[in-house]
Amino acid sequence: MDQQKNLLAASAAGAAAAVALGIWVCAPRRPYLSSKTSASHFTHLPHTEDYPVADETWKPPHMKHNIYTERKTKDLPVFDVVIVGSGLGGLTVGSLLCRRGYKVCVLEQHDQAGGCLHTFEEKGYEFDVGLHYIGGNVGNKWSPLRKAFDAVTGGRVEWCRMEEPYDRAVCTGEYGEKEIFEFYGDYGKTRDGLIEKLKGEENAEKSIRNFFASLDRSTMRLGGWLFVKILSPFLRRVLTPILTLPARGVMNSTTTDFMSYLGVRSTKVHGVLTYLFGDYGLGPHESAWGVHAAVTGHWKGGAFYPYGGSSALAMGACEVLRMNGGKVFVKARVKEILVEGGRAKGVVMEKGGVIKGKIVVSDAGARNTYLKLLSPESLEHVKDKEFLAALKADDEKDLAVNKSGLAPSCTLLNLFCGLDDSAANLGVPAGNAWVVPGWDHKSNFEKFSEEGLECELPVTFIGSNSAKDHSYEKRFGKNRGSIMVLAPVEYKWFEKWEKGRVHARGDDYDVLKEKWTKAILRKLYQLYPQLEGHITYMDLGTPLSNNHYLGVNKGEVYGLTHSLERTWKHKDALSAQTDIKGLYLTGQDLMSAGVSAALMGGIMTTAAISKWAILSHVHNLV
């Protein structure tokens, strides 16, 4: 009898999924595509054989070519799609849709498109601000992630393979023994190396083998969890309990709890295997295991960096938009998303004027969208009041480094250093270093949250974009290099200056920046003592810099924090199509942190807007 009941339940679930898929495929949204556009649906992007190094003859298009400012937003036609924010998620939606006949407009509040992809030049040096390396085997032109990037940028971006090890986990010994662990694209080599170095730890070999074996298995369980994010609100509410069942235990378990299930008993083994939690910004004792598994597995096959710097990705996508009639506006800050009768109708600009659109896509993040860009009257159309209450409640909390709920993710200090010689000549590798004082990450953060500058930084990321980018020497000369150091802080330590102007926040703010600069430099010189005397330019970006340049509110760098509340409790609310008709979300809040996740978020939003448009790109994406 039980078997018959189980068979009946499985059949019902399968039938419901089939009906949902049928509705999703067979009910296209306007605008319908012209016959001319339909004829080009299955055009393939050109692909050539894989190369071990980037094409040195390739030159990225200039960033500001054919990009407009807000002054030119007057008297515009009604667009099919208006996109708020030009991060990779928004540019992905715009690039894919404009090539399928949609009239697209992208609005960016900063003076450079790209969001976290943008770079800046100062005193003859170039620095990245958000993309520090990419996995997904993008050096292979036939890998799915590489094909997705090519589809969005029109194949304009080449990739430089980073030298191995791509990451080093370094313990400087303040709270333990000095050690270095190396991570390679060959995970078998990494696994065996870790087993050898950690063989004295309790249950080390078995737990390390279980950890690496679980990465792919855990990620494969996320298919249904991802699929429901492109469904309509009604279908999500019906099918989410069924389709997300495989993700149970992956997205509703903390990284620490799941690793305990895998047999991890040693604090050191746990700390080494979770060294890159900074890639998504939440300690393993609070983060969702599914996020950690996906991020760790992302580097299988090695790490890469875009030739020409991270802004090359934004430039490529903007060029696709330009060639297909799309518009990209910088210095165009949106004040409010216009909602009439429960439907998004366009946006109201901060300096006046309205840009009308049949569809509005927000790449400004869930918090900005719901708490700043939508009026209280518009929020009445959002059915999940518990989700809105969680956003508002966490907005009022005292923000600490370790966050739960739907609070903003961590915020970071960014120390940008210009060198008087190349990174290679100074002995700085292309691989990154994650530096910690001890392997108990939770304890490190608790001490830091209480004592601040009086104790060791809990984690520091050190990477050189000049060492990773094979075009850097050609563009800036042989005797120049750049290196960047990231370190977490609490936003409340800088909050009193948030109303001040950039570069004019007062002497006490400058004194505080100087103290933090010295603390971060100590960590840099611990790892690379040979750099002393070779730094000719320095600047410290604070959480307030993030607010200004990235349009965030609490200096957050990864959108919403990657807690269980985000990945499981409120998974339905953080989907592409909102309860407000014609309003969609995209970017990293849709999936998880990182550039690749923002790209996939853009692809999912495109699928939610138009099934036919995304199906027409299948050959380019898969």
Side-chain angles (χ1 to χ4, degrees):
M1 183 66 69
D2 289 340
Q3 289 182 339
Q4 290 179 339
K5 288 182 179 179
N6 290 338
L7 182 61
L8 183 61
S11 301
V19 169
L21 183 62
I23 295 173
W24 183 77
V25 171
C26 297
R29 297 176 180 83
R30 291 183 179 276
Y32 293 110
L33 304 180
S34 67
S35 57
K36 180 179 178 181
T37 306
S38 300
S40 65
H41 267 190
F42 296 101
T43 302
H44 291 250
L45 290 170
H47 288 282
T48 57
E49 294 301 315
D50 190 20
Y51 291 98
V53 296
D55 178 6
E56 301 292 342
T57 65
W58 180 84
K59 295 181 180 180
H62 193 274
M63 187 64 204
K64 294 188 177 180
H65 179 61
N66 285 302
I67 296 180
Y68 310 102
T69 61
E70 186 182 1
R71 289 176 300 178
K72 296 189 178 181
T73 62
K74 312 299 182 184
D75 302 320
L76 291 173
V78 176
F79 290 93
D80 294 322
V81 182
V82 175
I83 300 172
V84 182
S86 69
L88 186 58
L91 290 178
T92 296
V93 175
S95 174
L96 296 179
L97 288 180
C98 76
R99 289 162 60 191
R100 296 302 177 247
Y102 286 71
K103 297 176 182 177
V104 177
C105 168
V106 180
L107 303 169
E108 168 58 45
Q109 59 92 28
H110 187 31
D111 63 2
Q112 187 179 145
C116 287
L117 293 176
H118 84 260
T119 56
F120 71 93
E121 292 182 28
E122 196 68 48
K123 307 296 182 183
Y125 300 100
E126 182 182 76
F127 301 97
D128 56 34
V129 299
L131 188 159
H132 307 302
Y133 58 157
I134 289 285
N137 208 17
V138 292
N140 177 358
K141 294 191 176 185
W142 291 98
S143 76
L145 185 60
R146 171 60 180 272
K147 293 185 76 174
F149 275 115
D150 282 351
V152 171
T153 65
R156 289 175 172 80
V157 179
E158 293 290 344
W159 297 87
C160 311
R161 177 180 284 277
M162 288 168 53
E163 65 186 60
E164 301 255 84
Y166 64 84
D167 267 351
R168 289 178 297 153
V170 181
C171 179
T172 48
E174 287 83 1
Y175 306 148
E177 184 181 354
K178 290 184 178 181
E179 294 173 289
I180 297 178
F181 296 90
E182 297 179 337
F183 290 79
Y184 298 86
D186 180 352
Y187 272 18
K189 180 179 180 179
T190 298
R191 180 198 62 214
D192 294 343
L194 294 180
I195 290 173
E196 177 61 28
K197 293 195 72 172
L198 293 167
K199 58 186 177 183
E201 299 297 316
E202 181 184 357
N203 202 33
E205 180 173 355
K206 182 179 179 180
S207 59
I208 291 171
R209 291 189 183 279
N210 287 343
F211 175 85
F212 282 97
S214 295
L215 296 178
D216 287 341
R217 290 203 298 263
S218 297
T219 305
M220 289 176 65
R221 292 170 60 181
L222 302 181
W225 184 87
L226 294 171
F227 179 73
V228 296
K229 290 180 175 291
I230 65 176
L231 298 178
S232 67
F234 171 75
L235 288 177
R236 285 202 311 270
R237 293 184 181 102
V238 172
L239 296 176
T240 292
I242 300 170
L243 297 181
T244 59
L245 274 176
R248 179 178 289 274
V250 173
M251 284 309 215
N252 67 343
S253 297
T254 67
T255 301
T256 295
D257 288 345
F258 197 92
M259 290 179 67
S260 178
Y261 164 75
L262 295 176
V264 176
R265 303 285 181 264
S266 161
T267 299
K268 182 185 288 188
V269 172
H270 178 276
V272 172
L273 294 177
T274 58
Y275 79 95
L276 52 56
F277 69 89
D279 269 339
Y280 52 84
L282 188 64
H285 56 289
E286 291 186 300
S287 64
W289 160 254
V291 173
H292 185 77
V295 171
T296 304
H298 177 67
W299 308 109
K300 190 175 184 178
F304 301 83
Y305 191 81
Y307 184 83
S310 58
S311 61
L313 291 168
M315 291 188 262
C318 287
E319 186 69 3
V320 171
L321 277 155
R322 182 191 69 82
M323 293 178 65
N324 291 274
K327 304 290 185 183
V328 179
F329 296 94
V330 297
K331 296 183 181 178
R333 187 183 292 271
V334 172
K335 179 182 179 181
E336 182 182 341
I337 295 173
L338 183 63
V339 178
E340 297 175 356
R343 176 179 288 276
K345 295 287 189 178
V347 297
V348 180
M349 306 303 294
E350 188 175 76
K351 294 182 179 179
V354 174
I355 298 178
K356 292 294 188 71
K358 300 173 184 176
I359 290 172
V360 176
V361 176
S362 176
D363 191 27
R367 294 180 63 82
N368 271 339
T369 302
Y370 286 105
L371 301 184
K372 290 182 66 177
L373 297 178
L374 289 172
S375 68
E377 293 77 18
S378 299
L379 290 177
E380 292 298 319
H381 299 285
V382 179
K383 295 182 173 62
D384 194 341
K385 303 303 182 186
E386 186 179 0
F387 167 69
L388 292 179
L391 281 177
K392 294 174 182 177
D394 276 322
D395 190 42
E396 297 165 359
K397 284 183 180 178
D398 182 36
L399 299 175
V401 174
N402 296 321
K403 301 179 177 71
S404 61
L406 293 178
S409 62
C410 70
T411 186
L412 301 171
L413 294 173
N414 300 260
L415 182 63
F416 304 100
C417 300
L419 308 174
D420 64 4
D421 205 346
S422 69
N425 289 343
L426 291 173
V428 177
N432 307 306
W434 293 87
V435 183
V436 296
W439 294 116
D440 189 338
H441 302 311
K442 182 178 181 181
S443 175
N444 294 343
F445 271 105
E446 288 173 347
K447 291 177 183 177
F448 181 67
S449 184
E450 292 175 3
E451 301 175 26
L453 273 168
E454 301 302 318
C455 74
E456 292 295 322
L457 295 170
V459 61
T460 309
F461 172 89
I462 301 174
S464 170
N465 62 302
S466 66
K468 302 169 189 176
D469 180 5
H470 297 172
S471 76
Y472 196 94
E473 180 179 308
K474 178 186 293 186
R475 294 186 293 131
F476 297 99
K478 292 184 177 181
N479 298 321
R480 284 184 178 272
S482 54
I483 193 166
M484 188 171 69
V485 189
L486 306 178
V489 287
E490 294 210 32
Y491 184 76
K492 63 185 178 183
W493 297 339
F494 298 84
E495 194 167 16
K496 63 182 287 189
W497 294 281
E498 66 180 358
K499 301 298 183 183
R501 291 187 298 109
V502 177
H503 305 307
R505 291 195 168 98
D507 292 340
D508 51 349
Y509 178 73
D510 293 334
V511 169
L512 181 64
K513 286 181 63 176
E514 182 63 25
K515 290 180 180 179
W516 282 107
T517 297
K518 290 179 179 178
I520 295 173
L521 275 178
R522 283 199 300 270
K523 303 305 290 186
L524 176 63
Y525 292 150
Q526 266 187 297
L527 190 65
Y528 300 124
Q530 69 271 25
L531 294 185
E532 279 202 74
H534 289 282
I535 296 178
T536 58
Y537 167 81
M538 254 190 315
D539 188 30
L540 183 71
T542 72
L544 306 184
S545 308
N546 296 341
N547 286 355
H548 177 76
Y549 293 109
L550 300 180
V552 296
N553 300 300
K554 301 294 182 181
E556 63 268 30
V557 294
Y558 295 127
L560 295 173
T561 192
H562 288 69
S563 62
L564 302 187
E565 286 83 354
R566 169 182 171 168
T567 60
W568 193 253
K569 183 176 181 179
H570 298 294
K571 59 184 179 295
D572 180 65
L574 293 168
S575 297
Q577 188 176 355
T578 70
D579 288 328
I580 298 174
K581 295 178 181 179
L583 176 61
Y584 295 79
L585 298 179
T586 194
Q588 60 182 1
D589 276 351
L590 205 57
M591 281 193 58
S592 72
V595 173
S596 299
L599 172 79
M600 300 312 296
I603 292 173
M604 290 196 297
T605 302
T606 305
I609 292 171
S610 171
K611 283 79 65 176
W612 303 114
I614 201 66
L615 287 173
S616 73
H617 284 290
V618 163
H619 286 194
N620 292 334
L621 296 172
V622 180

